Amino acid sequence: TQTPVKIAVTGAAGQICYSLLFRIASGSLLGDTPIELRLLEITPALKALEGVVMELDDCAFGNLVNIEIGDDPKKVFDGVNAAFLVGAMPRKAGMERSDLLTKNGAIFTAQGKALNDVAADDVRVLVTGNPANTNALIAATNAVDIPNDHFASLTRLDHNRAKTQLARKTGKTVNDVRHMTIWGNHSSTQYPDVFHAEVAGQKAADLVDEAWIKDDFIPTVAKRGAAIIDARGASSAASAANATVECMRDWMGTTPEGDWVSMAIPSDGSYGVPEGLFYSFPVTITDGKVEIVQGLEIDDFSRTMMDASAKELTGERDAVKELGLI
Ligand code: NAI
């Protein structure tokens, strides 16, 4: 029998995980491969997590070999090949940015250190919990022996949102959309870039006008999270789970021939983005190896948008440095 792939998930009793765990367990991540789930929560949420585990049991998923739960990252992360860091401290009304960074800093320094000590050598760590890019930076920096490129943060949801908006506008399907790119931070400064995108083989920029791109498309994608909270009374969870599973699935495998995906990875200085920032780039992945798509032409508008998001991330990095978190 095959040794199961060990998959850690944090924030396992939360909203996103109520969808994510079932997607992973049913095979959306690794297909017909035996897996073991290692689920981390804070102590007060362990009882709720036991309920989620009961439901996972009741699905009788054929490839879900074992489930371990706990509140100690050093135990839960032991030997894991993949880690989904979903649990984070949400921003509450009246909370200062430094409070938010400090609270999340405590979570992601501890989890980075624990991964460093006990995870498998091939571990891939995907951060969904916000502020995702900077949380990834904190975890990666604190995992001193794990190469930084084993860490990434999620902008796939933004990528998927952008594909749907462009498909709708052009009267095509998402299957017709290729080469979508999200640059930068998973925040309102992100830059969804249609200038390299194609719809059914045509340049997207020839099919839509500039006013739509600037006044409709970009703000709709960047503010979609808020629109969902407004409509649903709760934040996007199922679509975030879907993006999370798709991102890791591609990262552990190969992106489709002739297309690329967006993913926030440590910058190597490509496109003038300061080195080391977790910045979303267009990437291709071949057998688990990630490469930034090179040679895209960047016009003045795109440059300004990309720089603004890099500036925000540099500010976040400076703030967590000042707090001694990295
Ligand atoms: P939620 O509040 O329903 O669940 C979060 C869970 O994390 C809670 O059960 C909490 O107990 C747990 N948690 C807190 N600290 C923890 C720790 N130290 N270790 C383990 N677990 C811990 O939130 P939801 O809706 O599941 O969202 C999770 C995160 O994902 C949030 O930060 C949210 O902002 C972010 N998010 C990111 C998106 C992206 O595209 N990158 C999209 C949507 C949400």
Side-chain angles (χ1 to χ4, degrees), residues 275-310:
E275 235 178 292
L277 288 182
F278 277 77
Y279 189 96
S280 182
F281 289 101
V283 302
T284 56
I285 303 161
T286 314
D287 292 330
K289 191 173 176 298
V290 180
E291 272 178 283
I292 295 173
V293 175
Q294 297 295 339
L296 300 177
E297 233 175 88
I298 306 297
D299 67 10
D300 288 348
F301 174 74
S302 297
R303 186 75 261 164
T304 307
M305 298 295 285
M306 288 162 67
D307 287 349
S309 205

Side-chain angles (χ1 to χ4, degrees), residues 10-17 40-42 45 86-90 107 111 127-130 132 154 157-158 186 235-237 240:
T10 75
Q15 293 304 312
I16 291 177
C17 288
L40 185 72
E41 258 298 348
I42 51 172
V86 180
M89 181 67 67
I107 296 172
Q111 293 183 1
V127 180
T128 295
N130 280 318
L154 190 75
L157 179 54
D158 310 297
H186 170 69
S235 65
S236 47

Side-chain angles (χ1 to χ4, degrees), residues 22-199:
F22 297 84
R23 294 285 302 276
I24 295 172
S26 65
S28 297
L29 181 66
L30 288 168
D32 192 16
T33 305
I35 58 169
E36 173 173 324
L37 285 176
R38 323 265 324 193
L39 308 179
L40 185 72
E41 258 298 348
I42 51 172
T43 319
L46 285 175
K47 181 160 181 264
L49 181 54
E50 281 170 18
V52 177
V53 171
M54 287 160 74
E55 286 205 71
L56 283 164
D57 288 343
D58 293 350
C59 292
F61 290 122
N63 281 314
L64 182 54
V65 177
N66 189 31
I67 309 174
E68 301 278 339
I69 72 169
D71 57 6
D72 178 355
K74 283 218 170 144
K75 287 188 185 143
V76 172
F77 292 160
D78 189 26
V80 297
N81 310 102
F84 292 94
L85 307 188
V86 180
M89 181 67 67
R91 187 174 210 145
K92 294 192 184 114
M95 202 183 211
E96 296 286 331
R97 193 169 88 124
S98 61
D99 282 353
L100 183 76
L101 291 173
T102 307
K103 294 239 160 67
N104 278 299
I107 296 172
F108 288 87
T109 49
Q111 293 183 1
K113 285 178 181 148
L115 286 163
N116 190 63
D117 291 349
V118 300
D121 288 343
D122 69 348
V123 71
R124 286 181 169 79
V125 185
L126 175 60
V127 180
T128 295
N130 280 318
N133 301 51
T134 294
N135 287 341
L137 175 70
I138 295 170
T141 309
N142 281 276
V144 288
D145 304 317
I146 304 178
N148 278 6
D149 64 2
H150 287 227
F151 288 77
S153 66
L154 190 75
T155 50
R156 184 62 167 265
L157 179 54
D158 310 297
H159 179 97
N160 288 344
R161 287 166 170 168
K163 279 177 72 171
T164 299
Q165 292 303 319
L166 183 60
R168 287 275 159 79
K169 177 68 181 174
T170 53
K172 299 285 182 189
T173 75
V174 288
N175 301 316
D176 297 314
V177 177
R178 286 186 178 204
H179 296 171
M180 181 56 73
T181 306
I182 303 294
W183 301 95
N185 199 1
H186 170 69
S187 77
S188 57
T189 69
Q190 66 175 262
Y191 172 43
D193 173 5
V194 294
F195 292 106
H196 303 100
E198 292 171 11
V199 185

